[in-house]
Amino acid sequence: MIRVLVADDQPLVRAGIVASIGAQPDLEVVAEAGNGVDAVRETARQSPDVVLMDIRMPQLDGIDATREILELRGGTRVLVLTTFDADEYMFGALRAGASGFLVKDASVDELAAAIRAVHRGDAVLAPSTTGRLLALMLPAMPDPRRRAAAEAALTGRELEIVRLVASGLGNAEVARAVHLAEATVKTHIGHVLTKLALRDRVQIAIWAYRNGLAPDQ
């Protein structure tokens, strides 16, 4: 079972999310929170695998709560679920270390799939935000010296996998593309995260774009 904490300051909305998650055979809600302070406290108490985090909450907003949760318990994944599909919220969530960003008009199946994805270490971005994220990053041409330094930090195989991750492929798809076992791909990704001091696949993709190593650059 994937253990989930739901943080949302609107009781009716939270109840609906809890009911939707509870209907999934492999998901279990272990705690609820109505504000960011409670979300941090309940994470410390319950050690959930995934926290569904609203952005606008009293006492402590979702972005600051995400940052505190990940400092407290690095193994927990945070999936931001918000009504507000705005760039400042998306970038704020990603900078805080969230593994995904989803808007509340997502279907129950999309929400469940997103929880499973971040739990296994994948990144999730709402379709409406992905295009804007790429549009903002593509025009930024990095310094060639910076690219050379970035390439020198990784092996050839690791660079190949980074480019595939940045293109949006999951572990199984990467494994097929490079003719490796999925477990081997996961090991390479782990090495990349350690070498670059990154948290997850979202940060790998951002790093690739910033350093001119994405597929289209």
Side-chain angles (χ1 to χ4, degrees):
M1 297 290 286
I2 300 174
R3 294 162 49 81
V4 181
L5 185 154
V6 178
D8 195 295
D9 65 329
Q10 300 181 49
L12 287 177
V13 173
R14 189 169 69 247
I17 295 171
V18 169
S20 297
I21 294 172
Q24 303 296 316
D26 58 335
L27 306 180
E28 175 189 12
V29 177
V30 296
E32 299 179 37
N35 59 64
V37 172
D38 287 346
V40 175
R41 180 167 55 242
E42 289 302 312
T43 296
R45 291 178 56 191
Q46 299 293 340
S47 298
D49 299 309
V50 177
V51 175
L52 277 184
M53 183 72 76
D54 191 17
I55 289 286
R56 290 188 175 180
M57 292 190 295
Q59 299 186 46
L60 188 68
D61 68 27
I63 292 174
D64 287 336
T66 294
R67 188 174 293 106
E68 290 193 18
I69 282 171
L70 296 177
E71 289 174 355
L72 174 71
R73 191 174 186 276
T76 293
R77 302 290 182 177
V78 176
L79 174 61
V80 171
L81 186 63
T82 179
T83 306
F84 307 99
D85 182 14
D87 290 342
E88 62 267 28
Y89 295 123
M90 174 181 66
F91 287 115
L94 297 180
R95 280 194 296 266
S99 297
F101 182 94
L102 207 61
V103 291
K104 288 181 181 176
D105 61 1
S107 69
V108 172
D109 288 342
E110 287 171 336
L111 175 59
I115 293 171
R116 296 181 187 110
V118 300
H119 177 253
R120 65 175 177 261
D122 291 340
V124 175
L125 288 177
S128 59
T129 67
T130 303
R132 298 204 310 275
L133 180 64
L134 296 181
L136 288 168
M137 289 183 171
L138 285 174
M141 299 300 292
D143 186 321
R145 291 170 297 179
R146 185 175 165 188
R147 174 170 179 156
E151 289 178 334
L154 304 176
T155 66
R157 177 66 80 183
E158 289 166 352
L159 282 168
E160 183 180 15
I161 289 174
V162 162
R163 290 188 175 99
L164 292 171
V165 169
S167 71
L169 298 186
N171 287 349
E173 295 169 311
V174 172
R176 287 193 294 270
V178 296
H179 308 293
L180 292 175
E182 187 173 350
T184 304
V185 169
K186 290 180 180 178
T187 298
H188 281 302
I189 290 175
H191 291 161
V192 170
L193 293 173
T194 299
K195 285 183 178 181
L196 303 179
L198 302 176
R199 186 183 300 279
D200 54 32
R201 295 167 64 94
V202 170
Q203 293 190 350
I204 289 177
I206 293 173
W207 181 89
Y209 275 97
R210 283 178 174 170
N211 289 280
L213 298 174
D216 296 328
Q217 292 178 290

